[in-house]
Amino acid sequence: MKLTVLGSTGSIGTQALDVARERGWEVGALAAGRKLDLLEAQVREFRPDVVSVAEEVLAEARSRLPGVRVIASPSEVAALPADVVVNAMSGLIGLEPTRTALEAGRAVALATKEAMVTAADLIWQAAARGGGRLVPVDSEHTGVFQCLTGEHLADVAELILTASGGPFRDGPADLSGVTPEQALKHPSWSMGPKITIDSATLMNKGLEVMECASLYGLPLSQVGVVIHPQSVVHAAVRFRDGSLKGQFGPTDMRLAIAYAIDAAPGGMTRPGDVRGARRGPSVAGHLGWPLRGSWEFREPDAARFPCLGLAYRAGEAGGLFPAALNAADEVAVAAFLAGQIGFTDIPRLIERVLDETPRGTLSWDTLAQTEAWARARADELVAAGVRA
């Protein structure tokens, strides 16, 4: 197996390289941002031929990485020959490399949820043009993928995504005074700061609902969410005969990453085009994981966590609304982490942006325009103190 890893210095990227190390896979190319110390260590270990970095550190990277071709284009890296391209780039900057990889006929293990949230139709069109294939990396979506293997989509009544509920699932009732430090203490998973805050607001689960519908070609009304504090069951599928099939296992993203990479060469070419995968050996010694303990499931609290409902609203509206939601959320989370707004200002800001989002037809150009507009409007709201 020869991999390209985009976003190699982030949380998913480093764990993808953990899997590559354990499985003995070749890493032909890496794309990173500005974390040159970590990237330098990765280059020493995996010896890729090509590396992409942020433009502003390109000169320094070239001086620190002799013998390696260093460029400033993750999209160029995404098109290089590889068995699987792992796209772990966070945010909308991951869209263009996803498009490029699929149009080049690559198999993509996709962790960049923004691709399917904001541009699903465009992404599937890119796969159709180039012959690329796609498998999601998120534990919930690989869970759904595994549950659907061997089944017929017409038999599906509901796809069910589980959520830990984040650090505030049991309180406080009033979230207006919680701090970034408190919100960053996720009870189950080790993730980057943006996705951890999104998990605390349940926006991450809302984005996953939108992504799930786009991946498997089902309406949002057939994608549900349950709070599962133990984070053992990652996803389930309810079938029209009333039976359910679930996927569960340890809270270790490397399992989902390994499965996605194994499945990607035979991955989806269109929504719901699910095929099974030959599994590799045990990851991180989890083969003996004990099946013990109690599992709890409960409904999400829509009143305390309005971001989940806002995601459903944007997904139902379609068009440019998901892009506006995603951009507004990125600005709101950054502002909260910087101490500029409060925790409960995050959904207020997003709702204001959605209220003002113009309707339009989705294209690569209108997607970029809407993203820029939503960011600018969200910045204005932050400067104004949000206000409902």
Side-chain angles (χ1 to χ4, degrees):
M1 182 81 76
K2 181 177 182 179
L3 304 182
T4 291
V5 180
L6 311 179
S8 67
T9 56
S11 174
I12 297 297
T14 55
Q15 291 179 87
L17 291 175
D18 288 343
V19 174
R21 180 187 302 112
E22 191 166 335
R23 293 280 178 87
W25 291 336
E26 178 185 356
V27 178
L30 298 171
R34 303 172 183 82
K35 297 179 182 178
L36 293 188
D37 289 343
L38 178 54
L39 177 62
E40 189 173 6
Q42 291 174 347
V43 169
R44 278 199 306 270
E45 178 178 2
F46 293 99
R47 301 193 177 280
D49 298 316
V50 183
V51 167
S52 173
V53 298
E55 183 74 44
E56 58 267 31
V57 297
L58 180 60
E60 181 184 356
R62 284 175 170 167
S63 68
R64 293 176 62 170
L65 301 172
V68 180
R69 182 178 170 227
V70 182
I71 59 177
S73 172
S75 291
E76 184 176 342
V77 169
L80 295 171
D83 294 307
V84 177
V85 176
V86 180
N87 190 350
M89 297 178 69
S90 177
L92 289 169
I93 59 171
L95 262 68
E96 186 59 33
T98 304
R99 173 190 182 183
T100 302
L102 292 170
E103 289 181 340
R106 304 290 170 248
V108 178
L110 184 65
T112 306
K113 63 170 55 69
E114 291 81 4
M116 299 309 293
V117 168
T118 66
D121 289 347
L122 302 177
I123 293 298
W124 287 122
Q125 290 168 19
R129 281 194 299 273
R133 295 180 178 273
L134 183 69
V135 168
V137 165
D138 258 2
S139 60
E140 294 83 358
H141 298 316
T142 57
V144 170
F145 189 98
Q146 292 172 73
C147 289
L148 288 176
T149 299
E151 304 287 354
H152 296 281
L153 272 177
D155 293 335
V156 173
E158 183 185 20
L159 306 179
I160 303 169
L161 306 182
T162 62
S164 71
F168 308 127
R169 67 187 175 217
D170 298 316
D174 181 2
L175 295 171
S176 60
V178 302
T179 66
E181 291 74 22
Q182 292 171 315
L184 287 168
K185 292 180 180 178
H186 197 280
S188 302
W189 298 96
S190 174
M191 305 177 292
K194 200 275 181 179
I195 190 173
T196 302
I197 300 301
D198 279 347
S199 295
T201 65
L202 290 194
M203 176 57 84
N204 185 57
K205 203 53 52 179
L207 296 175
E208 287 177 358
V209 166
M210 298 164 71
E211 182 183 11
C212 191
S214 297
L215 283 166
Y216 301 112
L218 294 173
L220 286 169
S221 60
Q222 285 184 257
V223 184
V225 174
V226 297
I227 302 300
H228 172 50
Q230 292 76 28
S231 298
V232 172
V233 179
H234 305 305
V237 176
R238 188 190 310 274
F239 295 96
R240 63 179 182 171
D241 63 359
S243 62
L244 289 98
K245 184 193 287 188
Q247 191 275 329
F248 56 91
T251 53
D252 188 336
M253 274 303 301
R254 290 173 296 182
L255 285 166
I257 292 166
Y259 182 83
I261 293 172
D262 285 335
M268 296 186 288
T269 59
R270 62 186 185 279
D273 178 28
V274 175
R275 310 171 195 188
R278 289 295 306 275
R279 297 173 187 265
S282 171
V283 174
H286 287 308
L287 190 59
W289 179 72
L291 189 57
R292 302 284 188 274
S294 300
W295 299 352
E296 177 187 359
F297 302 94
R298 59 177 101 146
E299 288 295 313
D301 188 337
R304 291 175 65 231
F305 302 103
C307 282
L308 181 58
L310 292 172
Y312 273 96
R313 172 186 165 185
E316 293 286 1
L320 302 173
F321 282 80
L325 172 99
N326 187 79
D329 178 59
E330 289 191 2
V331 171
V333 169
F336 170 67
L337 288 171
Q340 296 174 289
I341 64 174
F343 186 80
T344 52
D345 288 325
I346 295 174
R348 290 192 190 103
L349 185 153
I350 295 167
E351 186 171 21
R352 285 285 303 275
V353 172
L354 286 180
D355 288 344
E356 300 173 22
T357 299
R359 294 192 175 273
T361 302
L362 179 67
S363 69
W364 290 110
D365 288 339
T366 58
L367 176 65
Q369 293 162 7
T370 300
E371 195 268 342
W373 168 83
R375 283 184 177 279
R377 183 64 184 119
D379 284 334
E380 292 173 356
L381 291 168
V382 170
V386 185
R387 292 195 298 271

